[in-house]
Amino acid sequence: MEGNMPRGLENIIALESEITFIDGEQGILKYRGHDVQSLSSHSYDEVSYLLINGRLPDKFELDSYSKKLKQERVIGDDAIAILKFCNFNIEAMDALRTAVSYMSHCDPELNDNSAEANVNKGIRMIAKFPTMVAVFSRQRRGLDVIQPDLSLSHGANFLYMLKGSKPTDLESRVLESDFILSADHELNPSAFTARTIASTLSDIYSSVIGGLCALKGPLHGGARMAVMEMIDEIGSPENAERYVMDKVSNKQKLMGFGHRVYKTYDPRARVYKQLAREIAIESGNMLWFDIAEKIEEIAYREFVENKGKPIYPNVDFYSAVVYKYLDIPPKLATAVFAIGRSSGWIAHCLEQYSDNRLIRPRAKYVGPDLD
Ligand code: SDX
């Protein structure tokens, strides 16, 4: 605490929202009143509809929503060319930010801030994010661009566009669940950033781009890439003890652990751990799962048992293990997180626009007074 101000706005209730509920003590997470664990077996389209519209769709509504999303999956040759210009040693996240910005220039509804136009733009972003990330990744590997397959689900189609072959049923289900588990998380830094931008009545593309920029940081969504790199660096379960103890003795943060709100196991991490186990078994290679489980065991002993600190795996820990089994390169990890999170950002922007008041807090001035 600084004076009576909690640093980093910890525990400050900044606004009312009907989108996501978190109980950080009990480890409960609900989207629009539905427990995230039960939602993880739905389709991403259903959950995306739920976040944006406030309730799950009936069959007719879902068919029509999915059809719109599928029709919007394609990106133009100009966007493909823009993504080719991004061909440096950058993260897919940086390319995605550029591509979304370019996409906004081409949208005739860019500056139409009506609810209807904002939903249309939201659907376009949700639909095109996977294509943009896959196109970037393939061009940077010198491979041909693969057009979306409209017969596949959101998750399966992304894997198909990325790899050029149809994923297994388990791979499709795992990525679909990943998008759902990543879809929203109350007033996390990227949602707050997106809402702050929306509160100025700037357009929804600018707001979502702000969300992308915030998600990239290693204290937020960037931790997923860092966990993938950590698992590679550790290399075998036997090396985990030394790695974690080095972090602990040097007072460095262990990536994929700890949370501002959860003082217990992150409920998403539980689901991800199960998905990681399933996909590891299917692959016949338990190595990455075993390394992760060993890290978790040592971290529990050090943080929870020895120090009494509630530092448990967060959403980014076992999701990183899942990405390794899906053969998603680390530099794509944050952008893949963003594909899932797009629905949450759009839901937050729509809620902000629907009952807007400019977000403009104060700072306590502590610098010199020279005149
Ligand atoms: C996400 O908010 C959201 O909803 C975000 C998210 C979402 O869905 O949008 O859930 C996604 O961003 C997950 C978090 C990903 N980041 C990481 O995994 C990076 C590693 N974790 C941390 O740096 C940290 O736990 C944060 C940033 C997530 C939360 O940090 P806080 O609330 O600011 O806590 P803090 O850094 O002030 O730490 C409090 C104490 C400190 O010890 P003391 O100085 O009090 O003795 O806990 C310790 C910290 O040193 N601590 C850790 C730790 N996390 C906290 N120590 C070692 N490793 C860690 N990971």
Side-chain angles (χ1 to χ4, degrees), residues 135-341:
V135 165
F136 169 71
S137 172
R138 287 190 71 83
Q139 292 193 132
R140 129 197 189 141
R141 286 177 286 152
L143 301 171
D144 287 345
V145 165
I146 293 181
Q147 290 302 321
D149 181 332
L150 305 197
S151 71
L152 296 176
S153 70
H154 205 65
N157 174 57
F158 172 64
L159 288 175
Y160 168 66
M161 291 188 297
L162 191 64
K163 298 180 184 190
S165 59
K166 301 265 167 76
T168 66
D169 288 348
L170 179 62
E171 287 171 335
S172 308
R173 181 166 63 76
V174 164
L175 194 65
E176 199 77 358
S177 300
D178 166 60
F179 289 161
I180 292 167
L181 293 166
S182 300
D184 192 46
H185 208 234
E186 199 220 46
L187 215 48
N188 61 85
S190 53
F192 187 59
T193 304
R195 287 190 79 127
T196 302
I197 297 170
S199 86
T200 70
L201 298 184
S202 181
D203 69 282
I204 197 165
Y205 282 110
S206 300
S207 308
V208 169
I209 291 165
L212 283 165
C213 296
L215 189 74
K216 184 183 168 190
L219 295 187
H220 194 9
R224 213 166 277 200
M225 176 173 80
V227 174
M228 293 179 83
E229 290 169 344
M230 169 171 76
I231 289 170
D232 284 339
E233 194 184 331
I234 292 177
S236 89
E238 296 73 53
N239 299 335
E241 174 83 30
R242 201 178 59 199
Y243 181 94
V244 176
M245 290 315 293
D246 275 358
K247 291 276 171 201
V248 170
S249 48
N250 292 322
K251 297 200 180 317
Q252 287 170 342
K253 295 279 164 65
L254 189 62
M255 288 304 182
F257 282 81
H259 200 274
R260 176 61 69 77
V261 182
Y262 292 119
K263 299 304 161 210
T264 183
Y265 213 99
D266 183 328
R268 302 167 295 177
R270 248 183 240 296
V271 186
Y272 271 119
K273 185 173 181 180
Q274 182 52 25
L275 296 171
R277 185 182 279 115
E278 283 177 48
I279 201 161
I281 291 169
E282 185 182 74
S283 76
N285 163 25
M286 296 303 291
L287 178 67
W288 299 317
F289 182 82
D290 289 345
I291 293 172
E293 230 185 7
K294 194 73 193 167
I295 298 170
E296 182 187 349
E297 184 191 309
I298 300 161
Y300 185 81
R301 185 193 71 210
E302 288 303 312
F303 297 138
V304 183
E305 290 184 341
N306 291 352
K307 296 196 170 66
K309 289 184 184 178
I311 300 172
Y312 295 88
N314 60 45
V315 68
D316 290 317
F317 189 64
Y318 281 104
S319 57
V321 183
V322 163
Y323 286 8
K324 286 200 68 61
Y325 284 105
L326 291 173
D327 204 18
I328 291 171
K331 279 204 162 79
L332 250 64
T334 324
V336 179
F337 189 165
I339 291 174
R341 187 52 61 92

